[in-house]
Amino acid sequence: MADQSVPSDARFAAEFNPDVGVEQIAAIYAEAALGAAESAGRTEAMLEEFDSLIADVLDRHPKFETLLGSALISHDEKTAILDRTLGPTASSLMLNFLKVVSRHGRLDCLRAIHRRFHAVYDAARGRVPVELITATPVSDGEAAAIAGMLGGMVRGEPVLRRRVDPALIGGAVVRVGDTVYDGSIARQLENVRRKMIDRSAHEIQSRRDRFSNPAGN
């Protein structure tokens, strides 16, 4: 009875050939999870809960993740573990979903399901994940300027994720799905930085002028 809050789509995963890739399996479960969340009016809440499961539980407790994904632990044992460890804090929607995934032996795919959940959620709302890779960290202002610049290129609302890679040696790379933009983006990022530096220098100079000449003489 506990699994009834999760759309039947997820149950079809048990029928897949074992050779089907993890990403295809993840897509089935992610769409099922999103459908359940939307039906319950808890889409954003489940997204946050899924984020927390990955960041606060699996990332911090790798042995627990290994245990959930182990084929040596039965579904009944995993259900008991989920009830004991996550039951006190997890929503019934999330807990039931995890039990469906466990019943089909797919808890080892949780990270892939999580990634796909975000992708489906973003796509439904016209949000386009964009990875900005730079040799040195960029400020929030620079990131916002780059996101604005990309708005006309990605046909949606850019959702920027920043990553630093010193090997770029001063360059910048923007990845949108399977498409990579490099040289032109690097030049435009440098232009954004130069304009921000010039503006800051101008503001500092203006303040110095006012300080040194308070009477306006």
Side-chain angles (χ1 to χ4, degrees):
M1 297 295 293
D3 294 341
Q4 289 181 353
S5 63
V6 179
S8 59
D9 304 53
R11 298 183 175 88
F12 294 161
E15 305 301 326
F16 272 99
N17 185 293
D19 293 333
V20 173
V22 169
E23 291 302 321
Q24 291 174 275
I25 294 294
I28 295 289
Y29 285 110
E31 290 169 8
L34 186 62
E38 289 180 341
S39 296
R42 292 183 50 81
T43 307
E44 282 70 26
M46 187 164 184
L47 184 67
E48 291 178 6
E49 194 170 6
F50 214 155
D51 288 346
S52 179
L53 174 65
I54 299 299
D56 300 328
V57 179
L58 301 191
D59 285 351
R60 295 184 182 182
H61 306 285
K63 290 184 179 179
F64 180 68
E65 181 176 9
T66 300
L67 183 151
L68 291 181
S70 174
L72 301 177
I73 311 297
S74 71
H75 166 60
D76 288 341
E77 290 174 307
K78 289 179 182 178
T79 294
I81 291 170
L82 290 171
D83 282 333
R84 185 171 63 252
T85 57
L86 303 181
T89 56
S91 68
S92 59
L93 186 65
M94 175 59 78
L95 194 60
N96 289 343
F97 178 72
L98 292 175
K99 289 177 181 179
V100 169
V101 178
S102 171
R103 184 155 57 83
H104 295 304
R106 298 294 184 179
L107 283 176
D108 60 325
C109 299
L110 281 179
R111 290 183 183 273
I113 296 171
H114 174 252
R115 289 194 302 271
R116 187 65 183 178
F117 189 103
H118 266 279
V120 175
Y121 174 87
D122 287 337
R125 287 155 180 78
R127 293 156 53 96
V128 182
V130 176
E131 184 178 32
L132 172 63
I133 309 168
T134 55
T136 57
V138 299
S139 68
D140 291 342
E142 292 169 335
I146 292 296
M149 179 186 69
L150 291 170
M153 299 170 55
V154 300
R155 296 183 180 179
E157 176 192 351
V159 180
L160 211 61
R161 182 170 72 86
R162 288 171 272 180
R163 182 162 67 87
V164 175
D165 181 1
L168 289 177
I169 314 177
V173 171
V174 170
R175 188 186 304 275
V176 183
D178 295 328
T179 303
V180 176
Y181 305 90
D182 45 23
S184 61
I185 295 296
R187 287 193 297 273
Q188 293 180 62
L189 177 59
E190 185 58 34
N191 289 337
V192 169
R193 278 182 158 163
R194 190 176 299 112
K195 288 179 182 178
M196 295 185 73
I197 291 171
D198 290 345
R199 184 165 58 249
S200 297
H202 176 72
E203 291 176 355
I204 292 172
Q205 186 60 50
S206 296
R207 290 174 185 171
R208 285 177 176 172
D209 291 344
R210 287 196 301 269
F211 180 78
S212 60
N213 196 6
N217 297 325

